Coordinates of all heavy atoms in Angstrom, one line a residue:
M2 N -68.8 -89.4 106.6 CA -69.4 -88.2 106.1 C -69.6 -87.3 107.4 O -70.4 -87.6 108.2 CB -70.8 -88.6 105.5 CG -71.4 -87.5 104.8 SD -73.0 -87.9 104.0 CE -72.7 -89.5 103.2
H3 N -68.8 -86.3 107.4 CA -68.8 -85.4 108.6 C -69.9 -84.4 108.5 O -70.5 -84.0 109.5 CB -67.4 -84.7 108.8 CG -66.3 -85.7 109.0 ND1 -66.1 -86.3 110.2 CD2 -65.3 -86.0 108.2 CE1 -65.1 -87.1 110.1 NE2 -64.6 -87.0 108.9
D4 N -70.1 -83.9 107.4 CA -71.1 -82.8 107.2 C -72.2 -83.2 106.3 O -72.1 -84.1 105.4 CB -70.4 -81.5 106.6 CG -69.3 -81.0 107.4 OD1 -69.5 -80.9 108.7 OD2 -68.2 -80.7 106.9
D5 N -73.4 -82.6 106.4 CA -74.5 -82.9 105.6 C -74.2 -82.3 104.2 O -73.8 -81.2 104.1 CB -75.7 -82.2 106.2 CG -76.9 -82.4 105.2 OD1 -77.2 -83.5 104.8 OD2 -77.6 -81.4 105.0
P6 N -74.4 -83.1 103.1 CA -74.1 -82.6 101.8 C -75.1 -81.7 101.3 O -74.9 -80.9 100.4 CB -74.1 -83.9 100.9 CG -75.0 -84.8 101.7 CD -74.8 -84.5 103.1
G7 N -76.3 -81.7 101.8 CA -77.4 -80.9 101.3 C -77.8 -81.3 99.9 O -77.1 -82.2 99.3
I8 N -78.9 -80.8 99.4 CA -79.4 -81.2 98.1 C -78.4 -80.8 97.0 O -78.2 -81.6 96.1 CB -80.8 -80.6 97.9 CG1 -81.7 -81.0 99.0 CG2 -81.3 -80.9 96.5 CD1 -82.8 -81.9 98.8
V9 N -77.8 -79.6 97.2 CA -76.9 -79.1 96.1 C -75.7 -80.0 95.9 O -75.3 -80.3 94.8 CB -76.5 -77.6 96.4 CG1 -75.5 -77.1 95.4 CG2 -77.8 -76.8 96.5
M10 N -75.1 -80.4 97.0 CA -73.8 -81.2 96.9 C -74.0 -82.7 96.9 O -73.0 -83.4 96.7 CB -72.9 -80.8 98.1 CG -72.5 -79.4 98.1 SD -71.5 -79.0 96.7 CE -70.1 -80.1 96.8
R11 N -75.3 -83.1 96.9 CA -75.5 -84.6 97.0 C -75.0 -85.3 95.7 O -74.3 -86.3 95.8 CB -77.0 -84.8 97.1 CG -77.4 -86.3 97.1 CD -78.9 -86.5 97.4 NE -79.6 -85.8 96.4 CZ -80.9 -85.6 96.4 NH1 -81.6 -86.0 97.4 NH2 -81.6 -84.9 95.5
A12 N -75.2 -84.8 94.6 CA -74.7 -85.4 93.3 C -73.2 -85.4 93.3 O -72.6 -86.4 92.8 CB -75.3 -84.7 92.1
A13 N -72.6 -84.3 93.7 CA -71.1 -84.2 93.7 C -70.5 -85.3 94.6 O -69.5 -85.9 94.3 CB -70.6 -82.8 94.0
L14 N -71.1 -85.4 95.8 CA -70.6 -86.3 96.8 C -70.8 -87.8 96.3 O -69.9 -88.6 96.4 CB -71.3 -86.1 98.1 CG -70.9 -87.1 99.3 CD1 -69.4 -87.0 99.5 CD2 -71.7 -86.8 100.5
L15 N -71.9 -88.0 95.7 CA -72.2 -89.4 95.1 C -71.2 -89.7 94.0 O -70.7 -90.8 94.0 CB -73.6 -89.5 94.6 CG -74.0 -90.9 94.2 CD1 -73.8 -91.9 95.3 CD2 -75.4 -90.9 93.7
A16 N -70.8 -88.7 93.2 CA -69.8 -88.9 92.2 C -68.4 -89.2 92.8 O -67.7 -90.1 92.3 CB -69.7 -87.7 91.3
Q17 N -68.1 -88.6 93.9 CA -66.8 -88.8 94.6 C -66.8 -90.2 95.2 O -65.8 -91.0 95.0 CB -66.6 -87.8 95.7 CG -66.2 -86.4 95.2 CD -66.1 -85.4 96.3 OE1 -66.6 -85.6 97.4 NE2 -65.4 -84.3 96.1
V18 N -67.9 -90.6 95.8 CA -68.0 -92.0 96.3 C -67.9 -93.0 95.2 O -67.2 -94.0 95.4 CB -69.3 -92.1 97.2 CG1 -69.6 -93.6 97.5 CG2 -69.3 -91.3 98.4
S19 N -68.6 -92.8 94.1 CA -68.6 -93.7 93.0 C -67.1 -93.9 92.5 O -66.7 -95.0 92.2 CB -69.5 -93.2 91.9 OG -69.4 -94.0 90.8
D20 N -66.4 -92.8 92.4 CA -65.0 -92.8 91.9 C -64.2 -93.6 92.9 O -63.3 -94.4 92.5 CB -64.4 -91.4 91.8 CG -65.0 -90.7 90.6 OD1 -65.7 -91.3 89.7 OD2 -64.8 -89.4 90.5
L21 N -64.4 -93.4 94.2 CA -63.6 -94.2 95.2 C -63.9 -95.7 95.1 O -63.1 -96.5 95.2 CB -63.9 -93.7 96.6 CG -63.3 -92.3 96.9 CD1 -63.8 -91.8 98.2 CD2 -61.8 -92.5 97.0
V22 N -65.2 -96.0 95.0 CA -65.6 -97.4 94.9 C -65.0 -98.1 93.6 O -64.4 -99.1 93.7 CB -67.2 -97.5 94.8 CG1 -67.6 -98.9 94.4 CG2 -67.8 -97.1 96.2
Q23 N -65.1 -97.4 92.5 CA -64.5 -97.9 91.3 C -63.0 -98.1 91.4 O -62.5 -99.1 90.9 CB -64.9 -97.0 90.1 CG -66.3 -96.9 89.8 CD -66.9 -98.2 89.1 OE1 -66.2 -99.1 88.7 NE2 -68.2 -98.2 89.0
G24 N -62.4 -97.2 92.0 CA -60.9 -97.2 92.1 C -60.4 -98.2 93.1 O -59.2 -98.6 93.1
H25 N -61.2 -98.6 94.1 CA -60.7 -99.5 95.1 C -61.4 -100.9 95.1 O -61.1 -101.7 96.0 CB -60.9 -98.9 96.5 CG -60.0 -97.7 96.8 ND1 -60.4 -96.4 96.4 CD2 -58.8 -97.7 97.3 CE1 -59.4 -95.6 96.7 NE2 -58.4 -96.3 97.3
K26 N -62.2 -101.2 94.1 CA -62.9 -102.5 94.1 C -61.8 -103.5 93.9 O -60.8 -103.2 93.2 CB -64.0 -102.5 93.1 CG -63.6 -102.4 91.7 CD -64.8 -102.4 90.8 CE -64.4 -102.3 89.3 NZ -65.4 -102.1 88.4
P27 N -61.9 -104.7 94.4 CA -63.0 -105.3 95.1 C -63.1 -105.1 96.6 O -63.8 -105.9 97.3 CB -62.8 -106.8 94.8 CG -61.3 -106.9 94.8 CD -60.8 -105.6 94.3
A28 N -62.4 -104.1 97.1 CA -62.5 -103.9 98.6 C -63.9 -103.5 99.0 O -64.7 -102.9 98.2 CB -61.5 -102.7 98.9
S29 N -64.2 -103.8 100.2 CA -65.5 -103.5 100.8 C -65.6 -102.0 101.0 O -64.5 -101.3 101.1 CB -65.8 -104.2 102.1 OG -65.8 -105.6 101.9
V30 N -66.8 -101.4 101.1 CA -66.9 -100.0 101.3 C -67.5 -99.7 102.6 O -68.4 -100.4 103.1 CB -67.9 -99.4 100.2 CG1 -68.2 -98.0 100.4 CG2 -67.4 -99.7 98.8
V31 N -67.0 -98.7 103.3 CA -67.5 -98.3 104.6 C -67.8 -96.8 104.6 O -66.9 -96.0 104.2 CB -66.4 -98.6 105.8 CG1 -67.0 -98.1 107.1 CG2 -66.1 -100.0 105.8
I32 N -69.0 -96.5 105.0 CA -69.4 -95.1 105.1 C -69.8 -94.9 106.6 O -70.6 -95.6 107.1 CB -70.5 -94.7 104.2 CG1 -70.1 -94.8 102.7 CG2 -71.0 -93.3 104.5 CD1 -71.2 -94.5 101.7
A33 N -69.2 -93.9 107.2 CA -69.5 -93.5 108.6 C -70.3 -92.2 108.6 O -69.8 -91.2 108.0 CB -68.2 -93.4 109.4
L34 N -71.5 -92.2 109.1 CA -72.3 -91.0 109.2 C -72.0 -90.5 110.6 O -72.5 -91.0 111.6 CB -73.8 -91.4 109.1 CG -74.2 -91.9 107.7 CD1 -75.6 -92.3 107.7 CD2 -74.0 -90.8 106.7
D35 N -71.2 -89.4 110.7 CA -70.8 -88.9 112.0 C -71.8 -87.9 112.5 O -71.7 -87.6 113.7 CB -69.4 -88.2 111.8 CG -68.3 -89.1 111.5 OD1 -68.4 -90.3 111.9 OD2 -67.3 -88.7 110.9
Q36 N -72.7 -87.4 111.7 CA -73.7 -86.4 112.2 C -74.6 -87.1 113.2 O -75.0 -88.2 113.0 CB -74.5 -85.8 111.1 CG -73.8 -85.3 109.9 CD -73.8 -86.3 108.8 OE1 -73.7 -87.5 109.0 NE2 -73.9 -85.8 107.6
P37 N -75.0 -86.4 114.3 CA -76.0 -87.0 115.2 C -77.3 -87.4 114.5 O -77.9 -88.4 114.9 CB -76.2 -85.9 116.3 CG -75.1 -85.0 116.1 CD -74.6 -85.1 114.7
S38 N -77.7 -86.6 113.6 CA -79.0 -86.8 112.9 C -78.9 -86.5 111.4 O -79.2 -85.4 111.0 CB -80.1 -86.0 113.6 OG -81.4 -86.4 113.0
P39 N -78.4 -87.4 110.6 CA -78.2 -87.1 109.2 C -79.5 -86.8 108.5 O -80.5 -87.2 108.9 CB -77.6 -88.4 108.6 CG -77.1 -89.2 109.8 CD -78.0 -88.8 111.0
T40 N -79.4 -85.9 107.5 CA -80.5 -85.5 106.8 C -80.9 -86.4 105.7 O -80.1 -87.4 105.4 CB -80.3 -84.1 106.1 OG1 -79.2 -84.3 105.2 CG2 -79.9 -83.0 107.1
Q41 N -82.0 -86.2 105.0 CA -82.4 -87.0 103.9 C -81.4 -87.0 102.8 O -81.2 -88.0 102.1 CB -83.8 -86.5 103.3 CG -84.9 -86.9 104.2 CD -85.1 -88.4 104.3 OE1 -84.7 -89.0 105.3 NE2 -85.8 -88.9 103.4
A42 N -80.7 -85.9 102.6 CA -79.7 -85.8 101.5 C -78.5 -86.8 101.8 O -78.1 -87.5 100.9 CB -79.1 -84.4 101.4
A43 N -78.1 -86.8 103.1 CA -77.0 -87.7 103.5 C -77.5 -89.2 103.3 O -76.7 -90.0 102.8 CB -76.6 -87.5 104.9
L44 N -78.7 -89.5 103.8 CA -79.2 -90.9 103.6 C -79.3 -91.3 102.2 O -79.1 -92.4 101.8 CB -80.5 -91.0 104.4 CG -80.5 -90.8 105.9 CD1 -81.9 -90.9 106.5 CD2 -79.5 -91.7 106.5
S45 N -79.7 -90.3 101.3 CA -79.9 -90.6 99.9 C -78.5 -91.0 99.3 O -78.4 -91.9 98.5 CB -80.4 -89.3 99.2 OG -80.4 -89.5 97.8
V46 N -77.5 -90.3 99.7 CA -76.1 -90.6 99.2 C -75.8 -92.0 99.6 O -75.3 -92.8 98.8 CB -75.1 -89.6 99.7 CG1 -73.7 -90.0 99.4 CG2 -75.3 -88.2 99.0
V47 N -76.0 -92.3 100.8 CA -75.6 -93.7 101.3 C -76.4 -94.7 100.6 O -75.8 -95.7 100.1 CB -75.9 -93.8 102.9 CG1 -75.8 -95.2 103.3 CG2 -75.0 -92.9 103.6
L48 N -77.7 -94.6 100.4 CA -78.5 -95.6 99.7 C -78.2 -95.7 98.3 O -78.2 -96.8 97.7 CB -80.0 -95.3 100.0 CG -80.5 -95.5 101.4 CD1 -81.9 -95.0 101.5 CD2 -80.3 -96.9 101.9
R49 N -77.9 -94.6 97.6 CA -77.4 -94.7 96.2 C -76.1 -95.3 96.1 O -75.8 -96.1 95.1 CB -77.4 -93.3 95.6 CG -78.8 -92.7 95.4 CD -78.8 -91.3 94.9 NE -80.1 -90.7 94.9 CZ -80.6 -90.0 93.9 NH1 -79.9 -89.7 92.9 NH2 -81.8 -89.5 94.0
A50 N -75.2 -95.0 97.0 CA -73.9 -95.7 97.0 C -74.1 -97.2 97.2 O -73.4 -98.0 96.6 CB -73.0 -95.1 98.1
H51 N -75.0 -97.6 98.1 CA -75.3 -99.0 98.3 C -75.8 -99.7 97.0 O -75.4 -100.8 96.7 CB -76.2 -99.2 99.5 CG -76.6 -100.7 99.6 ND1 -77.9 -101.1 99.3 CD2 -75.9 -101.8 99.9 CE1 -77.9 -102.4 99.5 NE2 -76.7 -102.8 99.8
H52 N -76.7 -99.0 96.3 CA -77.2 -99.5 95.1 C -76.0 -99.8 94.1 O -76.0 -100.8 93.5 CB -78.2 -98.5 94.5 CG -78.8 -99.0 93.2 ND1 -79.7 -100.0 93.1 CD2 -78.5 -98.7 91.9 CE1 -80.0 -100.3 91.9 NE2 -79.3 -99.4 91.1
L53 N -75.1 -98.8 94.0 CA -73.9 -99.0 93.2 C -73.1 -100.2 93.6 O -72.7 -101.0 92.8 CB -73.1 -97.7 93.2 CG -71.7 -97.8 92.5 CD1 -71.8 -98.0 91.0 CD2 -70.9 -96.6 92.8
C54 N -72.8 -100.2 94.9 CA -72.0 -101.4 95.4 C -72.7 -102.7 95.1 O -72.0 -103.7 94.7 CB -71.7 -101.2 96.9 SG -70.6 -99.8 97.3
S55 N -73.9 -102.7 95.4 CA -74.7 -104.0 95.2 C -74.6 -104.4 93.7 O -74.4 -105.6 93.4 CB -76.2 -103.7 95.6 OG -76.9 -104.9 95.4
H56 N -74.8 -103.4 92.8 CA -74.7 -103.7 91.4 C -73.3 -104.2 91.0 O -73.2 -105.1 90.1 CB -75.0 -102.4 90.6 CG -74.9 -102.6 89.1 ND1 -75.9 -103.3 88.4 CD2 -74.0 -102.1 88.2 CE1 -75.5 -103.3 87.1 NE2 -74.4 -102.6 87.0
L57 N -72.3 -103.8 91.7 CA -70.9 -104.2 91.4 C -70.5 -105.5 92.2 O -69.4 -106.0 92.0 CB -69.9 -103.1 91.7 CG -70.0 -101.8 90.9 CD1 -69.1 -100.7 91.5 CD2 -69.6 -102.1 89.5
G58 N -71.4 -106.0 93.0 CA -71.1 -107.2 93.8 C -70.3 -106.9 95.0 O -69.6 -107.8 95.5
L59 N -70.3 -105.7 95.5 CA -69.5 -105.3 96.6 C -70.4 -105.2 97.9 O -71.5 -104.6 97.8 CB -68.8 -104.0 96.4 CG -67.8 -103.9 95.2 CD1 -67.3 -102.5 95.0 CD2 -66.7 -104.9 95.3
V60 N -69.8 -105.6 99.0 CA -70.5 -105.4 100.3 C -70.3 -104.0 100.8 O -69.1 -103.5 100.7 CB -70.1 -106.4 101.3 CG1 -70.8 -106.2 102.6 CG2 -70.4 -107.8 100.8
M61 N -71.3 -103.3 101.3 CA -71.1 -102.0 101.8 C -71.5 -102.0 103.3 O -72.6 -102.6 103.6 CB -72.0 -101.0 101.0 CG -71.8 -99.6 101.5 SD -72.6 -98.4 100.4 CE -73.3 -97.3 101.6
F62 N -70.7 -101.3 104.1 CA -71.0 -101.2 105.5 C -71.2 -99.8 105.8 O -70.6 -98.9 105.3 CB -69.7 -101.7 106.3 CG -69.4 -103.1 106.0 CD1 -68.7 -103.5 104.9 CD2 -69.8 -104.1 106.9 CE1 -68.4 -104.8 104.6 CE2 -69.5 -105.5 106.6 CZ -68.8 -105.8 105.5
V63 N -72.2 -99.5 106.7 CA -72.5 -98.2 107.2 C -72.4 -98.2 108.7 O -72.9 -99.1 109.4 CB -73.9 -97.7 106.7 CG1 -74.2 -96.3 107.3 CG2 -73.9 -97.7 105.2
A64 N -71.9 -97.1 109.3 CA -71.8 -96.9 110.7 C -72.5 -95.6 111.1 O -72.2 -94.6 110.5 CB -70.4 -96.9 111.2
T65 N -73.4 -95.7 112.0 CA -74.1 -94.5 112.6 C -74.6 -94.8 114.0 O -75.1 -95.9 114.2 CB -75.3 -94.0 111.7 OG1 -75.9 -92.9 112.3 CG2 -76.3 -95.1 111.5
P66 N -74.3 -93.9 114.9 CA -74.8 -94.2 116.3 C -76.3 -94.0 116.5 O -76.8 -94.4 117.5 CB -74.0 -93.1 117.1 CG -73.7 -92.0 116.1 CD -73.5 -92.7 114.8
N67 N -76.9 -93.4 115.5 CA -78.3 -93.1 115.6 C -79.2 -94.3 115.2 O -79.2 -94.7 114.0 CB -78.7 -91.9 114.7 CG -80.0 -91.4 114.8 OD1 -81.0 -92.1 114.8 ND2 -80.2 -90.1 114.8
A68 N -79.9 -94.9 116.2 CA -80.7 -96.1 116.0 C -81.8 -95.8 115.0 O -82.1 -96.7 114.1 CB -81.3 -96.6 117.3
H69 N -82.4 -94.7 115.0 CA -83.5 -94.4 114.0 C -82.9 -94.3 112.6 O -83.6 -94.9 111.7 CB -84.1 -93.0 114.4 CG -85.2 -92.6 113.4 ND1 -86.4 -93.2 113.3 CD2 -85.2 -91.6 112.5 CE1 -87.1 -92.6 112.4 NE2 -86.4 -91.6 111.9
V70 N -81.8 -93.8 112.4 CA -81.2 -93.8 111.1 C -80.8 -95.2 110.6 O -81.0 -95.5 109.5 CB -79.9 -92.8 111.1 CG1 -79.1 -92.9 109.8 CG2 -80.3 -91.4 111.3
R71 N -80.3 -96.0 111.6 CA -80.0 -97.4 111.2 C -81.3 -98.1 110.7 O -81.2 -98.8 109.7 CB -79.4 -98.1 112.4 CG -78.0 -97.7 112.7 CD -77.3 -98.7 113.6 NE -77.9 -98.9 114.9 CZ -77.8 -98.1 116.0 NH1 -77.0 -97.1 116.0 NH2 -78.4 -98.5 117.1
R72 N -82.4 -97.9 111.3 CA -83.7 -98.5 110.9 C -84.1 -97.9 109.5 O -84.5 -98.7 108.6 CB -84.8 -98.2 111.9 CG -84.6 -99.1 113.2 CD -85.9 -99.0 114.1 NE -86.0 -97.7 114.6 CZ -85.5 -97.2 115.7 NH1 -84.6 -98.0 116.4 NH2 -85.7 -96.0 116.2
L73 N -83.9 -96.6 109.3 CA -84.3 -96.0 108.0 C -83.4 -96.6 106.9 O -83.9 -96.9 105.8 CB -84.1 -94.5 108.1 CG -85.2 -93.7 108.8 CD1 -84.8 -92.2 108.9 CD2 -86.5 -93.9 108.2
L74 N -82.1 -96.8 107.2 CA -81.2 -97.3 106.2 C -81.6 -98.8 105.9 O -81.6 -99.2 104.7 CB -79.8 -97.3 106.6 CG -79.2 -95.9 106.6 CD1 -77.8 -95.9 107.3 CD2 -79.1 -95.3 105.2
A75 N -81.9 -99.5 106.9 CA -82.3 -101.0 106.7 C -83.6 -101.1 105.8 O -83.6 -101.9 105.0 CB -82.5 -101.6 108.0
V76 N -84.5 -100.2 106.1 CA -85.8 -100.2 105.3 C -85.5 -99.8 103.8 O -86.1 -100.3 102.9 CB -86.8 -99.3 106.0 CG1 -88.0 -99.1 105.1 CG2 -87.3 -100.0 107.3
G77 N -84.7 -98.8 103.7 CA -84.4 -98.2 102.3 C -83.4 -98.9 101.5 O -83.3 -98.6 100.3
A78 N -82.7 -99.9 102.1 CA -81.6 -100.5 101.4 C -82.1 -101.4 100.2 O -83.2 -102.0 100.3 CB -80.8 -101.4 102.3
D79 N -81.3 -101.5 99.2 CA -81.6 -102.3 98.0 C -81.4 -103.8 98.4 O -80.3 -104.1 98.7 CB -80.7 -101.9 96.9 CG -80.9 -102.7 95.6 OD1 -81.8 -103.6 95.6 OD2 -80.2 -102.4 94.6
T80 N -82.4 -104.6 98.4 CA -82.3 -106.0 98.9 C -82.3 -106.9 97.7 O -82.3 -108.1 97.9 CB -83.4 -106.3 99.8 OG1 -84.7 -106.1 99.2 CG2 -83.4 -105.5 101.1
R81 N -82.2 -106.5 96.5 CA -82.2 -107.4 95.3 C -80.9 -108.2 95.2 O -80.9 -109.3 94.7 CB -82.5 -106.6 94.0 CG -84.0 -106.1 94.0 CD -84.2 -105.3 92.8 NE -83.6 -104.0 93.1 CZ -83.4 -103.0 92.3 NH1 -83.8 -103.2 91.0 NH2 -82.9 -101.9 92.7
D82 N -79.8 -107.5 95.5 CA -78.5 -108.2 95.3 C -77.8 -108.4 96.7 O -78.1 -109.3 97.4 CB -77.7 -107.3 94.4 CG -78.2 -107.3 92.9 OD1 -78.6 -108.4 92.4 OD2 -78.3 -106.2 92.4
I83 N -76.9 -107.5 97.0 CA -76.1 -107.7 98.2 C -76.7 -106.7 99.3 O -76.8 -105.5 99.0 CB -74.6 -107.4 97.9 CG1 -74.1 -108.4 96.9 CG2 -73.8 -107.4 99.2 CD1 -72.7 -108.2 96.5
G84 N -76.9 -107.2 100.4 CA -77.5 -106.4 101.5 C -76.5 -105.4 102.0 O -75.3 -105.4 101.8
L85 N -77.1 -104.4 102.8 CA -76.3 -103.4 103.4 C -76.1 -103.8 104.9 O -77.0 -104.2 105.6 CB -77.2 -102.1 103.4 CG -76.6 -100.9 104.0 CD1 -75.3 -100.4 103.4 CD2 -77.6 -99.7 104.0
V86 N -74.8 -103.7 105.3 CA -74.5 -104.1 106.7 C -74.4 -102.8 107.5 O -73.6 -101.9 107.2 CB -73.1 -104.9 106.7 CG1 -72.8 -105.3 108.1 CG2 -73.2 -106.1 105.8
I87 N -75.2 -102.7 108.5 CA -75.3 -101.5 109.3 C -74.8 -101.8 110.7 O -75.2 -102.7 111.4 CB -76.7 -101.0 109.3 CG1 -77.2 -100.8 107.9 CG2 -76.8 -99.7 110.1 CD1 -78.7 -100.6 107.8
H88 N -73.9 -100.9 111.2 CA -73.3 -101.0 112.5 C -73.5 -99.7 113.3 O -73.7 -98.6 112.7 CB -71.8 -101.2 112.5 CG -71.4 -102.6 112.0 ND1 -71.5 -103.7 112.7 CD2 -71.0 -103.0 110.7 CE1 -71.1 -104.8 112.0 NE2 -70.8 -104.4 110.8
A89 N -73.5 -99.7 114.6 CA -73.6 -98.6 115.4 C -72.3 -97.8 115.6 O -72.3 -96.6 115.8 CB -74.2 -98.9 116.8
R90 N -71.2 -98.6 115.4 CA -69.9 -98.0 115.7 C -69.0 -98.1 114.4 O -69.0 -99.1 113.8 CB -69.2 -98.7 116.8 CG -69.9 -98.5 118.1 CD -69.3 -99.3 119.3 NE -67.9 -99.5 119.1 CZ -67.1 -99.8 120.1 NH1 -67.6 -99.9 121.3 NH2 -65.8 -100.0 119.9
T91 N -68.3 -97.0 114.2 CA -67.4 -97.0 113.0 C -66.3 -98.1 113.1 O -66.0 -98.7 112.1 CB -66.8 -95.6 112.8 OG1 -67.8 -94.7 112.7 CG2 -65.9 -95.5 111.6
D92 N -65.7 -98.2 114.3 CA -64.6 -99.2 114.4 C -65.1 -100.6 114.1 O -64.4 -101.4 113.5 CB -63.9 -99.1 115.8 CG -64.8 -99.3 116.9 OD1 -66.0 -99.1 116.8 OD2 -64.3 -99.6 118.0
T93 N -66.3 -100.9 114.5 CA -66.9 -102.2 114.3 C -67.1 -102.4 112.8 O -66.8 -103.5 112.2 CB -68.2 -102.4 115.0 OG1 -67.9 -102.2 116.4 CG2 -68.7 -103.8 114.9
A94 N -67.6 -101.4 112.1 CA -67.9 -101.5 110.7 C -66.6 -101.7 109.9 O -66.5 -102.5 109.0 CB -68.6 -100.2 110.2
I95 N -65.5 -101.0 110.3 CA -64.2 -101.1 109.6 C -63.6 -102.5 109.9 O -63.1 -103.1 108.9 CB -63.3 -100.0 110.0 CG1 -63.8 -98.6 109.5 CG2 -61.8 -100.2 109.6 CD1 -63.1 -97.4 110.1
A96 N -63.7 -102.9 111.1 CA -63.1 -104.2 111.4 C -63.9 -105.3 110.7 O -63.2 -106.3 110.1 CB -63.2 -104.5 112.9
T97 N -65.2 -105.2 110.6 CA -65.9 -106.3 109.9 C -65.6 -106.2 108.4 O -65.5 -107.3 107.7 CB -67.5 -106.0 110.1 OG1 -67.7 -106.0 111.5 CG2 -68.3 -107.1 109.5
A98 N -65.5 -105.0 107.8 CA -65.2 -104.9 106.4 C -63.8 -105.4 106.1 O -63.6 -106.1 105.1 CB -65.3 -103.4 105.9
T99 N -62.9 -105.1 107.0 CA -61.5 -105.6 106.8 C -61.4 -107.1 106.9 O -60.8 -107.8 106.1 CB -60.6 -105.0 107.9 OG1 -60.6 -103.5 107.7 CG2 -59.1 -105.5 107.7
A100 N -62.1 -107.7 107.9 CA -62.1 -109.1 108.0 C -62.8 -109.8 106.8 O -62.3 -110.8 106.3 CB -62.9 -109.5 109.3
R101 N -63.8 -109.2 106.2 CA -64.5 -109.8 105.1 C -63.6 -109.7 103.8 O -63.5 -110.6 103.1 CB -65.8 -109.0 104.8 CG -66.5 -109.6 103.6 CD -67.8 -109.0 103.4 NE -68.8 -109.6 102.5 CZ -68.6 -110.4 101.6 NH1 -67.5 -110.9 101.3 NH2 -69.6 -110.8 100.8
T102 N -62.9 -108.6 103.7 CA -62.0 -108.4 102.5 C -60.8 -109.4 102.7 O -60.4 -110.0 101.7 CB -61.5 -107.0 102.5 OG1 -62.6 -106.1 102.3 CG2 -60.5 -106.8 101.3
T103 N -60.3 -109.5 103.9 CA -59.1 -110.4 104.1 C -59.5 -111.9 103.8 O -58.7 -112.7 103.3 CB -58.6 -110.3 105.5 OG1 -58.2 -108.9 105.7 CG2 -57.4 -111.2 105.8
A104 N -60.7 -112.2 104.2 CA -61.2 -113.6 104.0 C -61.5 -114.0 102.6 O -61.5 -115.1 102.2 CB -62.5 -113.9 104.9
A105 N -61.8 -112.9 101.8 CA -62.1 -113.2 100.4 C -61.0 -113.5 99.5 O -60.0 -113.8 99.5 CB -62.9 -112.0 99.8

């Protein structure tokens, strides 16, 4: 996610993410938050996408260099089903997701 979706585009972005998840399952999902300080709208999309992935039994990985955002995501993640895996670097998140998909 390169740009902040804002409140207006949040639903449209979540619909796009949902379509991608549905079309590529059972592959793991990776979202990279490239903004230095993502907004609440961006975090909301990530957490809602995680809820969807968790419901579908898919592991979701998030990468963000911002430690505060990583903590917020960890606190807000849906812990009832499948946890959210959070990394500081995008390449690490992708490598971990790829390894998990290959091992499955």
Side-chain angles (χ1 to χ4, degrees):
M2 193 178 313
H3 298 288
D4 299 315
D5 175 51
I8 304 247
V9 175
M10 294 302 298
R11 181 176 55 191
L14 180 58
L15 186 58
Q17 288 175 340
V18 170
S19 177
D20 289 346
L21 286 169
V22 168
Q23 295 286 352
H25 289 87
K26 67 182 178 185
S29 297
V30 175
V31 178
I32 294 179
L34 295 172
D35 293 336
Q36 312 99 322
S38 186
T40 64
Q41 286 295 96
L44 297 179
S45 173
V46 169
V47 171
L48 292 173
R49 289 174 189 224
H51 174 249
H52 180 75
L53 169 67
C54 288
S55 181
H56 178 72
L57 294 172
L59 302 174
V60 177
M61 185 172 138
F62 300 81
V63 176
T65 178
N67 187 314
H69 177 68
V70 171
R71 289 194 302 272
R72 286 189 294 276
L73 288 174
L74 289 171
V76 168
D79 181 359
T80 58
R81 289 174 283 172
D82 293 314
I83 297 175
L85 178 63
V86 182
I87 305 167
H88 291 281
R90 295 174 32 159
T91 302
D92 60 337
T93 306
I95 292 170
T97 307
T99 301
R101 184 174 190 340
T102 300
T103 303

